[in-house]
Amino acid sequence: MILSVRGNEGGLPLVHEDDLARAFFKVIVEDHPGPFNIDAGLLSGRDVARILGKRTFALPWRLAGLIADLGFRLGLSRFSSHWVALGRHPLYIDTRKAAGELGWRPTRSPEEAFRELVESVRNSHRRAGGER
């Protein structure tokens, strides 16, 4: 089961590493000054659960934080309440400056990036001798 934070149906921003590297490359090689927001869009807890073939359950953020800290302290989870706090509200990132000044646009959706991440993690576990 995937626990999510109630009230953040939008999710968290996600970008594929290749898209991020392409943005860094353009900034450095083309010498663009200033900060740029890089993001491909939001991936919700429901999307994550669907991709992983799990069910999702939305909790109030304080309860989700307590459960996350308990799981973290017991070694059952890699995620503490700090991660839950990040998911309390949708985080919208304005990438118009990157699009306008760098000509940057993501080539992969947040879902594609997450699916690739999951496959990579599963493959690394297989190579290490553990199935997940």
Side-chain angles (χ1 to χ4, degrees), residues 64-132:
L66 289 172
I67 291 171
D69 278 341
L70 179 63
F72 183 77
R73 289 186 182 123
L74 293 174
L76 302 173
S77 173
R78 298 178 189 161
F79 304 103
S80 69
S81 61
H82 298 91
W83 288 98
V84 173
L86 283 173
R88 185 173 179 196
H89 302 289
L91 179 59
Y92 298 102
I93 296 177
D94 185 352
T95 61
R96 288 179 292 190
K97 182 179 175 186
E101 293 183 29
L102 302 177
W104 181 88
R105 298 230 187 319
T107 61
R108 292 178 179 94
S109 70
E111 183 171 325
E112 290 169 320
F114 186 73
R115 285 183 184 278
E116 193 171 318
L117 171 65
V118 168
E119 188 60 30
S120 176
V121 169
R122 287 180 176 156
N123 287 337
S124 71
H125 284 289
R126 286 184 195 115
R127 285 190 300 274
E131 283 291 323
R132 285 204 179 178

Side-chain angles (χ1 to χ4, degrees), residues 15-63:
V15 64
H16 191 278
E17 64 187 345
D18 290 345
D19 287 335
L20 183 60
R22 209 167 28 81
F24 273 110
F25 179 82
K26 289 177 98 32
V27 167
I28 293 167
V29 170
E30 298 172 8
D31 196 28
H32 292 277
F36 291 90
N37 294 324
I38 303 299
D39 176 34
L42 300 177
L43 193 68
S44 72
R46 288 183 183 175
D47 291 332
V48 168
R50 180 179 43 78
I51 291 166
L52 296 175
K54 309 255 183 201
R55 292 184 301 156
T56 185
F57 188 76
L59 296 171
W61 79 272
R62 288 182 197 262
L63 179 58

